Amino acid sequence: VQLQASGGGSVQAGGSLRLSCTTSGRTSMGWFRRPPGKEREFVAAVSWNFGDTYYADSVKGRFTISRDKDKNTMYLQMNSLKPEDTGVYYCAADRSNNILYGTDWSVDSWGQGTLVTVSS
């Protein structure tokens, strides 16, 4: 599965960005991020066929994950951005549903990463 992420950029705190990830589809898909100097962390996931979603506590109520099956594209709408949301965001494809529990152990494809910078 090839993934192509886009949509990163620089915004001020409180602003919004939308990330996109084109894909040929998988059982489930999601977004992870790597803040500067930190380990990669889970952000959000979606079941490709049924649309079930799961979010990290840190982004609940601010981020929305969705997918358009006709366009083979997954989105991450990020609102009310905070400086701590800064990082490289990666889209991921999971051959099962484990990503819906916030884990990456069954992720078998990663996008190239797109940088999000939120300034205070």
Side-chain angles (χ1 to χ4, degrees), residues 3-104:
L3 307 176
Q4 184 69 37
S6 62
S10 298
V11 296
Q12 290 190 327
S16 298
L17 283 173
R18 188 175 79 158
L19 306 183
S20 301
C21 178
T22 57
T23 173
S24 56
R26 253 319 187 198
T27 300
S28 54
M29 302 281 297
W31 294 92
F32 289 77
R33 66 187 180 190
R34 186 186 298 276
K38 297 183 179 180
E39 296 292 318
R40 186 172 62 201
E41 62 186 27
F42 170 79
V43 176
V46 61
S47 165
W48 192 255
N49 286 328
F50 302 105
D52 299 333
T53 58
Y54 181 69
Y55 297 91
D57 289 342
S58 60
V59 306
K60 280 181 182 177
R62 300 188 297 120
F63 290 12
T64 302
I65 190 170
S66 62
R67 87 276 186 253
D68 186 326
K69 295 171 67 176
D70 291 336
K71 295 182 178 180
N72 287 331
T73 302
M74 175 179 65
Y75 303 98
L76 185 69
Q77 177 66 44
M78 304 185 294
N79 299 328
S80 302
L81 283 161
K82 303 176 181 180
E84 51 264 42
D85 294 318
T86 294
V88 179
Y89 283 68
Y90 299 91
C91 57
D94 192 325
R95 61 182 180 270
S96 68
N97 285 319
N98 293 304
I99 198 173
L100 293 174
Y101 300 95
T103 69
D104 65 357

